[in-house]
Amino acid sequence: DACELVMLNMENLPPKRPPVASSTPRKHPIDLEFVMDAVITNGASLSIDENHWYDRDGGDAWTMEEGEIGEDGKRALTFTMSSKVLEAAEKSTRGAQLGESEKAFTEQSNIAASKAFSRVLMASSNARSEAVADFGKQLAARLAWTLKGVKPSTEIEKANEMAVEATENSLKRNTECEETLAGSLEFALDYPLVSSCLAFDLVQKGPASQPRDDAGNTVAASSTSSLSMRILNEAYVCSLNENKENYEKALDVFVSSVVNACDLSNKMPNDSEKKRIANTAASSLPQQLAAAPAVTGTALSLVGSLCDIDEISKKATAKSSKHTIAESAALHAAKAAAEKRATAALLILRDVAFQRDAMRGAAVDCAVAIAAGRMPGSPPIEDKALKLVMNVIFPKNSDCADKVVESATKELELATRFCIDNYEKITKANEANAKKKEKPRHGIKAALLPLSDEEKMALDRVRKPVVLTMALCVRRPDIIKAIMEMSCREGADILAKAVKTNMPKLTKAASVKHGAANIALRVSDMASERETPLLLSFLDNLAPATDKSLPSQELIDACHEIQKNRPNADSRYIIPIVSGMKRDQLVHKLPEFVRSSDGIFKSSLRRMAERLGRYVLIFRDEPDPTESTLRGMSSCEQMVYLHHLDFHNVGIPQKRYLDVIRLCLEDDEVFNDRVVQAALDHMSGKFLEGESLPLAYMRTIILTCSKHESLHSWICHVLLPRLVEGSVYTDKRQWEGWMRCAKMLENTRDHGVSSLEAIQKLPEEQLKMYRAKYPQK
């Protein structure tokens, strides 16, 4: 081809020599050899630098002697290197001290090698033949490792700069691999041609010819025969004998370059060429790493960096009037491309976990770190990582499952340390924020809300590892022990709050898979005394108030067994299931709740009535007096049974008996005026039927008069006369209470209500006693 090209040019030479612009005589005559060099080198020989020895007379370093023609018709040729050149080369190789001319020779030799390497590399990238291109890549890979320290020429200098810059960025981003990446950066500086080859396909270049097969058809370049893979294969072969770290460092530089190309595409969404390079690199990366001889943990960590697309995602979703329609479209396209590349990174981790046993743990660690939010990633990518870990890797085999559990436990441990380290800071922020608010929040849900911005950020930080670990708990309930143990450590309050917040999801899934009663007993056996708050939260969510159905009898029996087996027989263990217990059982359990603290007592009453909203003002009668079927206890029934509590027989002090009734009256949200009226009305009706009034009955009426003015009329015109009708004066204690109540309401005519009518209905003797104690004004 070159000969034909020369002949064509010879035929088209002008008849006269063109005028010379310079008067300086040429050092090279224009002869046939001169023209052939110009044609073959595409004009490069016309720009010879006279200061470069290898351009001027580099051929003089070799002498050629012709021998006689042999029997085969070929002439023997002998090439000999100049002794001076050979001596300078040997000194340079040994590192001996060089003279000025020898230094100049060495420098120009490196420049010559760099340019020759560049020509080989460019020729392989522009070759139309696939075989020629592949041969050029093999040659370039071998030369790149041989020419250590030789700086790249201007044609490939951008590739080297990108490789170095990419490794520096990886070093800043991945602090956990700082020592390893520092060595990779040093490697990139020591082997500039190697780093140039690794990033050669990731920099913008002019249009290149597409490789063709022997039949002349265009073929796609194989990822396994790419220049970067040739470099890595060459490094791996050499690492079997010496420089074992060079392969790992070269792999880190290569993956860093791919990540950097993707970052540049995200930063400049309007640059279509950068987007094309990033998409091509990311799409071929799974095949390249699958064909790579080995993969390192640092390389997998760098692959995970492809999931860090939160910035471009926020830009694409942010509403801004400054963006034109074209700019918004470009941002959304860049976001979609970035998500596709991040998905490819997750697939790489999956393939490594499945195909490389030695690196399975590192791949799972990386995937779990992304799902847990420790490694940065956008919310959609974190969800994909969570699904990858739970639905793909975990079910693969037992070893994969063990690795996932191990990695998730590590992430939860890191979250625990984070909470403990920031405990004092968050506590101070909560205290400062509490001073600004007038009313503290009450209730179970309110107790789980963050009290400050610092606590909110901490909860967001630990929520993802908690959700991941809880998802594993459904598959392996034994992991619940680790969650409870870490959450109950001193200073890990934020983790405990995050666990309680997400407890409903765990209990719902676990009860469906293992059965509510079974999982309750298993968790109880795991929990130590210190982990009781988490156990109580677990049991509480097994029978949530939002569930329309009552707790099953199996769960009720399990909670009673837990109460029996736990220390002190704490009544809190049965509170979650009291709504499903029969009412007569609750009557027997009522003294236990009365003995407990005020918080436990009020919580038990709330759970008893949580599914009886329509019966809140009714005292229900058993459909069949011979069989107890009613479940739960309405607020009206609670007030009645509390008044009839035989506190002496169950060993409860009278003060406590009176105090719990007062607690109920003070709780306006549950025991409002209508509930109190219904309870007093029921007890007074039974009094007319012959039952005695409970000890605290009149005291409750007096407290109601002070608290609920809306009931004054009913008390004066209905309740007090009804008590007179039932001969309340026959009981000294109750009679004293009746007179005090009547006195409180006797002189309230200004408000339109008075107990005078009820007083006048007293028998003459009792009326005299009343007036003797409370004379009429």
Side-chain angles (χ1 to χ4, degrees), residues 141-142 144-145 187 191 194 198 227-251 293:
R142 181 65 59 87
W145 286 104
F187 164 82
Y191 288 88
V194 172
L198 292 171
L227 178 61
S228 54
M229 289 305 300
R230 293 292 184 188
I231 290 287
L232 293 175
N233 290 337
E234 191 73 26
Y236 186 76
V237 171
C238 295
S239 68
L240 298 178
N241 298 321
E242 55 183 354
N243 297 328
K244 296 184 181 298
E245 296 180 354
N246 278 357
Y247 171 79
E248 298 178 357
K249 294 175 181 177
L251 182 62

Side-chain angles (χ1 to χ4, degrees), residues 464-695:
K464 294 169 186 174
V466 167
V467 170
L468 171 62
T469 311
M470 283 186 167
L472 290 171
C473 290
V474 179
R475 313 280 182 90
R476 292 188 177 182
D478 294 342
I479 307 175
I480 296 177
K481 172 62 178 176
I483 292 182
M484 293 194 297
E485 188 274 326
M486 295 183 195
S487 301
C488 293
R489 291 181 188 175
E490 186 176 356
D493 297 0
I494 302 301
L495 183 65
K497 183 177 284 191
V499 170
K500 291 179 181 178
T501 302
N502 293 277
M503 192 69 81
K505 298 178 182 178
L506 170 62
T507 54
K508 183 177 181 180
S511 60
V512 170
K513 187 173 181 64
H514 304 283
N518 179 41
I519 197 66
L521 292 172
R522 291 180 66 177
V523 173
S524 174
D525 293 339
M526 300 177 197
S528 63
E529 184 66 21
R530 185 173 184 177
E531 296 155 8
T532 298
L534 269 296
L535 172 59
L536 293 172
S537 176
F538 187 87
L539 296 175
D540 191 61
N541 284 281
L542 276 177
T546 55
D547 195 348
K548 295 181 181 180
S549 59
L550 293 172
S552 64
Q553 188 60 45
E554 292 80 6
L555 180 59
I556 294 173
D557 295 339
C559 288
H560 280 95
E561 184 177 347
I562 291 172
Q563 181 192 24
K564 180 180 177 182
N565 296 332
R566 301 291 294 183
N568 304 323
D570 198 330
S571 59
R572 289 178 294 175
Y573 297 113
I574 63 172
I575 288 179
I577 46 85
V578 289
S579 62
M581 293 175 61
K582 293 181 179 180
R583 190 175 69 179
D584 62 342
Q585 294 176 332
L586 292 176
V587 173
H588 291 295
K589 286 286 184 181
L590 201 57
E592 290 186 26
F593 297 124
V594 172
R595 292 191 194 96
S596 304
S597 65
D598 292 350
I600 296 175
F601 170 72
K602 293 171 71 174
S603 178
S604 65
L605 296 185
R606 186 184 70 253
R607 295 302 297 263
M608 288 180 196
E610 65 188 4
R611 290 178 173 83
L612 299 174
R614 67 176 65 181
Y615 302 108
V616 65
L617 303 178
I618 301 174
F619 188 95
R620 299 168 297 164
D621 293 326
E622 291 282 359
D624 185 358
T626 62
E627 183 180 359
S628 177
T629 58
L630 295 177
R631 295 183 181 271
M633 187 181 289
S634 68
S635 299
C636 174
E637 294 165 353
Q638 291 171 9
M639 184 66 76
V640 172
Y641 283 118
L642 282 174
H643 277 81
H644 284 289
L645 181 65
D646 191 353
F647 57 90
H648 283 301
N649 289 338
V650 295
I652 296 176
Q654 180 177 329
K655 183 178 182 304
R656 180 57 182 170
Y657 162 74
L658 298 175
D659 283 346
V660 294
I661 296 176
R662 176 183 53 79
L663 281 174
C664 294
L665 294 174
E666 290 175 352
D667 190 355
D668 294 338
E669 294 183 3
V670 178
F671 297 95
N672 53 37
D673 55 350
R674 297 182 64 193
V675 173
V676 174
Q677 179 184 356
L680 294 176
D681 183 71
H682 175 80
M683 287 184 281
S684 65
K686 290 294 183 180
F687 176 60
L688 292 180
E689 295 176 5
E691 291 186 8
S692 61
L693 291 173
L695 176 66

Side-chain angles (χ1 to χ4, degrees), residues 387-535:
K387 292 176 181 177
L388 170 68
V389 171
M390 295 303 305
N391 301 335
V392 180
I393 298 179
F394 185 89
K396 182 67 176 177
N397 53 48
S398 60
D399 187 50
C400 287
D402 292 340
K403 290 289 191 298
V404 169
V405 172
E406 183 181 350
S407 299
T409 306
K410 290 179 185 176
E411 293 296 330
L412 191 63
E413 183 68 36
L414 291 174
T416 306
R417 292 178 187 173
F418 172 82
C419 293
I420 295 174
D421 294 341
N422 292 272
Y423 174 74
E424 293 184 3
K425 175 184 174 182
I426 295 172
T427 302
K428 291 179 181 179
N430 290 348
E431 292 174 353
N433 199 51
K435 294 179 181 178
K436 299 177 183 178
K437 295 186 177 181
E438 298 180 357
K439 293 183 178 180
R441 295 172 292 186
H442 298 286
I444 297 176
K445 292 184 177 180
L448 299 178
L449 294 176
L451 302 178
S452 62
D453 292 339
E454 288 77 3
E455 186 175 15
K456 183 177 183 300
M457 293 174 61
L459 283 172
D460 292 339
R461 163 69 177 80
V462 303
R463 179 184 62 83
K464 294 169 186 174
V466 167
V467 170
L468 171 62
T469 311
M470 283 186 167
L472 290 171
C473 290
V474 179
R475 313 280 182 90
R476 292 188 177 182
D478 294 342
I479 307 175
I480 296 177
K481 172 62 178 176
I483 292 182
M484 293 194 297
E485 188 274 326
M486 295 183 195
S487 301
C488 293
R489 291 181 188 175
E490 186 176 356
D493 297 0
I494 302 301
L495 183 65
K497 183 177 284 191
V499 170
K500 291 179 181 178
T501 302
N502 293 277
M503 192 69 81
K505 298 178 182 178
L506 170 62
T507 54
K508 183 177 181 180
S511 60
V512 170
K513 187 173 181 64
H514 304 283
N518 179 41
I519 197 66
L521 292 172
R522 291 180 66 177
V523 173
S524 174
D525 293 339
M526 300 177 197
S528 63
E529 184 66 21
R530 185 173 184 177
E531 296 155 8
T532 298
L534 269 296
L535 172 59

